[in-house]
Amino acid sequence: MESARSDKPRPPLFRPLDHYRQRTEGYRLLPFRFMRWPAKEVLLVNDVGEFIFLEDQRFKAFVGHRLDLTDPRYLDLKAKHFLLDTESNVPIELLATKYRTKKSFLEGFTKLHLFVVTLRCDHSCHYCQVSRVSTNRSKYDMTKETAKKAVELMFRSPSPALKVEFQGGESLLNFEVIRYVVEYSQELNVREGRNLEYVVATNLVPLTDEILEYLRDHSILLSTSLDGPEALHNSNRPRKGNDSYAITVRNLQRAREVLGHDRVSAVMTTTKLSLGQPREIVDEYVRRKFGSIFLRSISPYGFAVRTGEALRYETSEFLSFYKQALQRIIEVNREGYDFVEVYAQMLLTKMLTPFPSLYVDLQSPSGAGLGAVAYNYDGEVYASDEARMLSEMGDKTFRLGNLHEEGYEEIFGGESLRALAAGSVLETLPGCTDCAFLPYCGADPIFNHRTQGDVIGHRPTSAFCSKNIEIIRHLFGLIREGDPFVKDLFTRWATGVRSEPMTRYKVS
Amino acid sequence: MTSMSIRDSQPTPVAISLGHNQAALEVDLTIYAERAVSRASYKFTDRCYLLLSRSEQPGWLKVTFGAKHEKQDLGPLLGEFCNELLDQQIRDDLSIEAGPIRDLIVAQAFAEGNLLDPQRDDGSYEDDALGIGTLR
């Protein structure tokens, strides 16, 4: 047997050495976008988010095919797939694999299912995006019949993981339907075998011991609102008795004791009043022992527009607030408290890792309808919660269908969603196609429609665009400043991994 | 590729003052692609009004700038526009050179098979074309 093998002429295992030898006749440019940077530098970003800074002169030489093989940045450009100097297909295959990974948020289709179980609410928040109605109008509650249809439609989604988020109004005012959705979905899931997750968005006011025990027994997460210190929170979130802050803090503590500390998160909304208190807001979150904060600007929907609050500050004012708050967050981390800014974290994940963000506003095509869908209390289905808010204002452009009238194919395969998807591919949008930050950014066609009159939008005057560009530029700027603590912090946010001190590897 | 040519001893694109609150540039289309001019113009639409039209001189394109408010000085905008035009021309050259590779990468990313080397997917490990099994 052994001799038979050795007698057989053996083809060469490797290609001739010349095949692997460095070509000297030049290189091809691989696709990338670029942006001028201060101090005569240029930022280059390729389609999979790899980036490199080049001095202006070196950039000119590079795009002019005059960069020498011995240039110290040549191999960096090659390793990061900005140039191709071999006949091998491997770099293209690697880029295709990375591109597929960057777009992996598309796998499984709609994962987040928002159940708007009621529009009733006891708060009268100035910025409320939800067009809330008062607490005693139960005609604004979702019925069990509608909830049943929504659950059944949700399971038509092919995703192996489904996230159910209960929204309002104040969602706990219709706890009976929350309970029904949880139990009916779990009943169906015996056969379906999906990974189900539940989140209740609530102001915590209606929280009872019975509700808490139920949430604990069914592993349900809570998400609440905390806008900052007491005076700011109560001003932003007025209710009868002016005691929103006291109730939130008290019930936050109760919820943590029953559910576990990390089972309750909070979000904040930036109002005009918030703009002058970036440090105080961050410090309030730290004092309440939260691990993160999501610095959100106000949205141009619902009650926020009717009260004029949406118009009360410019994007530039929000950006100034954001940068100050982020600076305070970095300080807090430097002082030894692990604390994350969620929006920066999502962007840094796209900037520093091969992975995408699951946040629908940072996806291309937009996650509206593709990644998330909203079932309104009345059975109407919308591409997102923002689309639902828009309909409350009389604009039903992004209505996908009705649970009682249309099936899965009509709702998710209809013209509304197709148009939304087609109009939200950044790679085809004017202004975005040239932008170096495209791989990190996302499309918000509903915001464009609301603020600029069409889903494509006008980039030079878009608040969404200027906000994202400036935040991404700021994050790059902080990375470029070279503070090792900030670089380590951002890497930790992006990857979830804390780099260990080198001493760990020393042999004693 | 992006060098400026000279017309009437002036750097091109050639700036023309049209009087009150208006100015124009003429762009040599043997140097700049129309796509580059169009994309550069789009980026300025928040700061002034723009109109693209054919120049009286064949092979040139005219970009007319209109002020958005009475006291707006269009001078600095013209300079910035020229720089933007250079960058847009680089982008246009890049898209010509790397565009087909970009299309291939995206197609391969979402393809079921191997677009780059179809024969590889048709092969069978049993054929052992490189004779790796003989090493055992």
Side-chain angles (χ1 to χ4, degrees):
Chain A
M1 195 66 181
E2 191 65 32
S3 61
R5 276 188 180 176
S6 58
D7 292 344
K8 189 177 173 183
R10 183 182 297 171
L13 277 181
F14 297 101
R15 293 176 177 173
L17 192 58
D18 277 351
H19 179 80
Y20 301 97
R21 194 161 279 148
Q22 188 71 60
R23 289 178 61 197
T24 52
E25 61 264 33
Y27 54 85
R28 292 180 68 182
L29 299 177
L30 287 169
F32 66 88
R33 298 176 179 84
F34 68 91
M35 173 184 282
R36 299 282 163 185
W37 205 256
K40 295 190 183 250
E41 282 192 313
V42 183
L43 168 66
L44 289 70
V45 183
N46 68 12
D47 287 0
V48 298
E50 299 259 29
F51 65 88
I52 189 167
F53 287 89
L54 292 182
E55 301 83 354
D56 190 39
Q57 290 302 320
R58 185 173 273 122
F59 173 72
K60 281 181 190 166
F62 171 55
V63 296
H65 293 263
R66 287 178 278 104
L67 195 69
D68 194 80
L69 206 73
T70 58
D71 187 284
R73 306 307 302 279
Y74 187 96
L75 288 179
D76 290 336
L77 286 160
K78 183 176 177 177
K80 293 188 172 193
H81 299 308
F82 287 93
L83 66 82
L84 183 68
D85 63 1
T86 80
E87 295 298 324
S88 169
N89 283 333
V90 171
I92 307 295
E93 287 182 33
L94 282 171
L95 278 170
T97 302
K98 288 180 177 181
Y99 194 87
R100 184 164 54 242
T101 304
K102 278 287 180 198
K103 297 289 184 186
S104 59
F105 61 86
L106 292 167
E107 288 172 8
F109 205 53
T110 319
K111 301 171 190 69
L112 175 61
H113 298 257
L114 304 171
F115 286 66
V116 182
V117 292
T118 181
L119 287 193
R120 292 183 293 136
C121 188
D122 60 318
H123 278 62
S124 305
C125 305
H126 301 309
Y127 54 71
C128 181
Q129 305 166 13
V130 184
S131 306
R132 54 103 188 97
V133 294
S134 60
T135 55
N136 57 359
R137 296 166 71 179
S138 56
K139 68 175 182 175
Y140 291 105
D141 282 6
M142 181 181 273
T143 63
K144 286 184 182 174
E145 184 193 9
T146 299
K148 182 173 189 290
K149 293 268 187 188
V151 170
E152 288 166 356
L153 192 75
M154 175 178 77
F155 275 109
R156 293 292 309 279
S157 171
S159 176
L162 299 169
K163 185 173 183 176
V164 179
E165 185 170 314
F166 298 103
Q167 290 271 4
E170 169 42 46
S171 58
L172 288 181
L173 291 176
N174 193 8
F175 185 65
E176 191 183 346
V177 162
I178 291 179
R179 191 196 306 246
Y180 175 79
V181 168
V182 170
E183 289 169 15
Y184 185 50
S185 60
Q186 290 186 340
E187 179 189 326
L188 294 185
N189 204 39
V190 172
R191 175 168 43 86
E192 292 281 348
R194 313 287 184 96
N195 183 5
L196 283 180
E197 187 182 3
Y198 305 95
V199 182
V200 175
T202 171
N203 60 33
L204 298 178
V205 173
L207 202 63
T208 63
D209 290 342
E210 181 198 358
I211 290 175
L212 272 175
E213 284 166 18
Y214 185 87
L215 299 176
R216 180 197 60 206
D217 293 346
H218 291 82
S219 299
I220 298 171
L221 298 161
L222 282 184
S223 172
T224 192
S225 295
L226 180 65
D227 277 2
E230 183 165 11
L232 173 61
H233 181 94
N234 283 343
S235 176
N236 281 353
R237 303 179 59 79
R239 71 183 298 273
K240 203 173 174 182
N242 197 30
D243 55 357
S244 177
Y245 177 87
I247 296 175
T248 300
V249 169
R250 185 170 66 240
N251 284 347
L252 172 68
Q253 185 58 30
R254 287 174 61 215
R256 282 172 166 171
E257 285 168 5
V258 176
L259 305 179
H261 187 90
D262 295 334
R263 307 290 290 174
V264 189
S265 62
V267 295
M268 61 80 64
T269 302
T270 308
T271 63
K272 182 82 173 171
L273 202 58
S274 316
L275 295 175
Q277 304 182 49
R279 293 178 68 90
E280 292 80 356
I281 292 168
V282 171
D283 289 350
E284 175 68 25
Y285 268 68
V286 173
R287 187 160 46 246
R288 296 291 158 208
K289 296 185 169 54
F290 282 104
S292 65
I293 189 169
F294 189 168
L295 299 168
R296 303 188 309 167
S297 56
I298 217 156
S299 298
Y301 307 101
F303 205 55
V305 170
R306 291 204 296 276
T307 60
E309 185 73 19
L311 303 176
R312 287 190 192 163
Y313 62 78
E314 299 292 326
T315 306
S316 58
E317 294 179 90
F318 173 75
L319 289 167
S320 171
F321 163 83
Y322 182 89
K323 290 175 188 175
Q324 292 175 66
L326 187 61
Q327 187 57 40
R328 176 62 189 147
I329 290 167
I330 292 170
E331 284 172 24
V332 163
N333 279 278
R334 219 185 283 274
E335 289 160 9
Y337 183 80
D338 283 342
F339 193 64
V340 174
E341 201 288 298
V342 174
Y343 199 63
Q345 182 183 40
M346 291 186 293
L347 289 168
L348 288 164
T349 298
K350 298 184 85 177
M351 291 160 66
L352 303 177
T353 81
F355 303 109
S357 167
L358 296 181
Y359 186 55
V360 294
D361 288 357
L362 289 177
Q363 295 175 351
S364 167
S366 160
L370 302 181
V373 65
Y375 307 115
N376 206 9
Y377 71 97
D378 56 1
E380 297 278 84
V381 183
Y382 295 98
S384 71
D385 208 27
E386 289 77 12
R388 183 193 66 78
M389 295 169 204
L390 209 55
S391 88
E392 299 288 348
M393 298 163 71
D395 182 345
K396 293 185 179 291
T397 305
F398 304 108
R399 174 188 177 274
L400 302 182
N402 187 288
L403 290 166
H404 301 284
E405 294 165 8
E406 280 116 1
Y408 183 84
E409 286 74 14
E410 289 84 5
I411 290 172
F412 287 96
E415 277 308 307
S416 295
L417 188 50
R418 285 173 190 270
L420 201 53
S424 67
V425 180
L426 293 184
E427 289 80 352
T428 67
L429 298 186
C432 296
T433 52
D434 299 333
C435 181
F437 293 160
L438 182 150
Y440 311 133
C441 201
D444 195 343
I446 299 170
F447 182 93
N448 292 343
H449 171 84
R450 169 72 190 123
T451 58
Q452 299 187 312
D454 73 280
V455 294
I456 303 295
H458 179 242
R459 234 61 59 212
T461 52
S462 164
F464 180 83
C465 176
S466 55
K467 183 184 90 169
N468 277 351
I469 281 188
E470 193 49 38
I471 291 177
I472 297 168
R473 199 198 307 266
H474 185 62
L475 294 173
F476 266 123
L478 290 171
I479 292 169
R480 287 292 281 167
E481 282 176 11
D483 182 337
F485 179 83
V486 172
K487 288 172 83 169
D488 182 64
L489 179 70
F490 282 3
T491 305
R492 204 187 325 154
W493 286 2
T495 62
V497 177
R498 179 191 286 275
S499 61
E500 298 294 335
M502 287 302 287
T503 49
R504 179 181 165 184
Y505 304 103
K506 279 186 179 170
V507 178
S508 56
Chain B
M1 182 173 59
T2 56
S3 61
M4 287 188 172
S5 67
I6 303 295
R7 195 184 88 168
D8 298 330
S9 302
Q10 296 293 319
T12 60
V14 177
I16 306 166
S17 173
L18 299 177
H20 190 61
N21 285 342
Q22 273 203 346
L25 286 173
E26 292 206 335
V27 181
D28 185 345
L29 294 179
T30 62
I31 300 171
Y32 300 102
E34 279 190 30
R35 286 184 301 272
V37 183
S38 174
R39 288 180 174 207
S41 302
Y42 179 80
K43 286 191 81 168
F44 283 74
T45 50
D46 59 328
R47 300 162 69 186
C48 60
Y49 299 109
L50 291 113
L51 177 70
L52 301 185
S53 58
R54 293 281 163 209
S55 166
E56 290 174 6
Q57 182 164 321
W60 288 66
L61 197 66
K62 185 175 177 183
V63 186
T64 306
F65 298 77
K68 280 203 168 176
H69 52 83
E70 192 66 22
K71 292 181 179 173
Q72 186 174 11
D73 179 8
L74 291 172
L77 277 189
L78 301 191
E80 287 181 45
F81 185 87
C82 291
N83 283 351
E84 181 61 31
L85 201 48
L86 288 167
D87 279 352
Q88 290 297 343
Q89 186 56 45
I90 295 174
R91 292 187 177 104
D92 196 64
D93 293 341
L94 270 173
S95 75
I96 291 169
E97 178 174 347
I101 300 180
R102 172 175 277 145
D103 292 345
L104 183 60
I105 290 166
V106 175
Q108 178 61 65
F110 295 108
E112 292 289 334
N114 191 328
L115 303 177
L116 299 163
D117 188 359
Q119 287 187 334
R120 193 196 303 170
D121 283 351
D122 292 338
S124 166
Y125 72 94
E126 291 175 333
D127 295 342
D128 194 12
L130 297 179
I132 291 169
T134 63
L135 288 177
R136 289 182 190 163

